[in-house]
Amino acid sequence: MTSTVLIIEIDENAALADDEHGTLDAHVCENLPKKQVIEYSNATFKLATAELLAATDQPLSALNHPKFKEMINIASHAEDEVAIPSDKEI
């Protein structure tokens, strides 16, 4: 019977401690990863373009194609991140 009384006292003390000290629940928030913002510069764009052409085995002349220029122009007017469709979406 002593153990039962002890458990009840511990539970009551824990409840009092929570009431007295409160909890952190109201102060805890989910830590979401931040979006990486890449600041634009001509040098950064030139490097990214060269890396894309090399990685996809495209000729340098692809940069002169009117559709490439149109795509870049459209993307440059985005207010936020550009949503690039997957190969299955096209």
Side-chain angles (χ1 to χ4, degrees):
M1 184 136 177
T2 306
S3 61
T4 305
V5 173
L6 181 60
I7 292 171
I8 292 171
E9 287 178 11
I10 290 172
D11 288 344
E12 287 174 359
N13 288 337
L16 288 174
D18 281 347
D19 289 342
E20 193 174 306
H21 300 290
T23 65
L24 292 176
D25 292 348
H27 304 284
V28 177
C29 61
E30 189 175 353
N31 189 10
L32 299 173
K34 295 180 181 177
K35 288 183 180 178
Q36 181 184 7
V37 177
I38 301 171
E39 192 169 321
Y40 178 83
S41 73
N42 286 331
T44 303
F45 184 75
K46 185 177 180 178
L47 178 61
T49 303
E51 289 175 349
L52 172 69
L53 293 177
T56 59
D57 199 26
Q58 296 292 314
L60 293 174
S61 61
L63 300 177
N64 298 325
H65 197 286
K67 287 297 181 182
F68 175 78
K69 292 178 181 181
E70 179 184 3
M71 180 184 68
I72 295 301
N73 190 33
I74 291 168
S76 72
H77 291 88
E79 292 183 18
D80 200 8
E81 187 176 306
V82 176
I84 301 171
S86 71
D87 59 343
K88 292 175 178 58
E89 292 176 311
I90 294 184

